[in-house]
Amino acid sequence: RLPVEEYREVLCIGLQELAAASREESCGEGSGVEILENKPYTDGPGGNGQYTHKVFHIGKHIPSWFRSILPKAALRVEEESWNAYPYTRTRYTCPFVEKFSIDIETYYKSDTGNQSDVFNMSAAEKRQTTIDPIDIVTDPIPPHEYKVEEDLRLFKSVKTQRGPLRDDWIEEYNNNPGKTPIMCAYKLCKVEFRYWGMQSKIERFIHDVMARAHRQAWCWQDEWYGLTIEDIRQLELETQLALARKMAQFRKINYGNRLTCSDCP
């Protein structure tokens, strides 16, 4: 139950939440994130917006079944993102894995997900598309991922007084439309992944990541509510510099270790 106009701050501040964890975890090639570019663009996807280019070192953050089929060098994913809110596009690629990409287009709408074709797909595209509804309250959470502070049935915002959410929260809104703000993220995910037998697992993985990200957006609202876009851009700059220092420190240490080892008899 977030208004569409507020969710722009969620998308921006999500980088800061990721970065806060990354500052602690960017201590090796198995984890962390580097922000290579963060700049405005014009006449791009969705019109005018903000472009970001990041590198994720994901060794600790992907399922073991996925990690097992990838070489160590492939545990690096590049993300390019175009944020022209309420439209965004994000593309993930892995430089060391042939024919692997995830391309996600998103429209944010003030409804409960009842629009049939916000992407204006062709008849052929519709036939190849599977609709996968995500309910951030009722979708099951793996036991090892459950956190009390991210339980939407328990969380209540101090700043906005929103929450907790009931299992029938969507039906409740549809019975009283306009009484409270609402937002649905329509996502069109295109996946290219040429590993036989892995398609269904990749689809499940994407579903789980999306559900977790939006649960966290709801539960972190007291962190971003009321921030201006200028506040957020300053936080982004501070985060980019902090992460760059952290990764540079690791590389210096790692390079020193390699030199020491090469001198060993």
Side-chain angles (χ1 to χ4, degrees):
R1 290 188 184 181
L2 296 177
V4 169
E5 59 271 17
E6 279 185 25
Y7 203 76
R8 181 183 183 184
E9 281 69 41
V10 178
L11 291 180
C12 295
I13 205 64
L15 170 63
Q16 315 314 321
E17 299 293 346
L18 168 66
S22 297
R23 290 182 190 181
E24 301 300 321
E25 295 176 358
S26 294
C27 56
E29 293 175 328
S31 61
V33 58
E34 298 175 81
I35 305 170
L36 304 183
E37 292 183 83
N38 183 17
K39 61 185 182 182
Y41 68 85
T42 58
D43 196 26
N48 302 336
Q50 191 79 6
Y51 170 80
T52 57
H53 181 194
K54 308 187 195 84
V55 174
F56 292 90
H57 301 277
I58 58 173
K60 296 179 181 179
H61 303 290
I62 60 174
S64 57
W65 59 265
F66 194 11
R67 193 162 58 242
S68 67
I69 65 174
L70 299 176
K72 183 179 179 181
L75 299 180
R76 164 193 167 116
V77 170
E78 295 197 13
E79 177 200 273
E80 290 184 281
S81 181
W82 297 263
N83 183 351
Y85 195 79
Y87 169 86
T88 66
R89 181 187 174 195
T90 305
R91 179 174 173 82
Y92 298 95
T93 56
C94 187
F96 299 98
V97 178
E98 185 182 5
K99 302 295 184 182
F100 170 78
S101 67
I102 300 175
D103 200 298
I104 304 171
E105 291 183 86
T106 306
Y107 279 107
Y108 298 91
K109 302 289 186 179
S110 300
D111 58 50
T112 56
N114 47 19
Q115 297 190 50
S116 59
D117 185 20
V118 299
F119 296 100
N120 296 317
M121 292 186 290
S122 66
E125 288 174 324
K126 289 179 181 179
R127 287 194 295 271
Q128 297 175 355
T129 301
T130 300
I131 298 176
D132 182 17
I134 296 176
D135 187 325
I136 59 174
V137 177
T138 62
D139 277 10
I141 302 173
H144 67 280
E145 290 187 5
Y146 176 81
K147 297 179 181 180
V148 173
E149 62 270 24
E150 294 179 4
D151 189 330
L152 276 66
R153 297 181 176 97
L154 302 176
F155 172 81
K156 182 172 183 176
S157 167
V158 173
K159 291 185 178 180
T160 68
Q161 295 298 301
R162 297 171 184 155
L165 297 181
R166 304 189 322 190
D167 286 7
D168 63 347
W169 67 286
I170 296 177
E171 180 182 352
E172 180 185 1
Y173 177 86
N174 286 333
N175 291 335
N176 299 278
K179 185 177 180 180
T180 56
I182 200 78
M183 189 277 296
C184 178
Y186 291 84
K187 293 183 176 290
L188 180 61
C189 304
K190 299 176 182 178
V191 180
E192 184 176 27
F193 188 66
R194 296 191 179 182
Y195 280 82
W196 185 85
M198 292 292 176
Q199 185 70 24
S200 61
K201 288 186 176 181
I202 283 290
E203 291 172 355
R204 186 71 244 173
F205 177 58
I206 292 173
H207 177 111
D208 291 345
V209 168
M210 297 292 184
R212 181 170 63 250
H214 286 274
R215 281 198 306 269
Q216 291 174 337
W218 174 261
C219 292
W220 293 344
Q221 61 185 278
D222 285 341
E223 301 297 322
W224 51 259
Y225 183 79
L227 291 179
T228 66
I229 196 67
E230 290 76 20
D231 294 333
I232 292 167
R233 293 292 173 243
Q234 181 60 35
L235 286 170
E236 288 177 339
L237 177 60
E238 293 172 2
T239 295
Q240 184 171 1
L241 294 174
L243 291 176
R245 286 194 297 269
K246 193 75 172 180
M247 295 304 290
Q249 181 183 20
F250 161 74
R251 290 194 178 97
K252 182 178 180 180
I253 294 171
N254 198 35
Y255 180 66
N257 288 340
R258 283 200 297 269
L259 287 178
T260 302
C261 292
S262 67
D263 292 336
C264 293

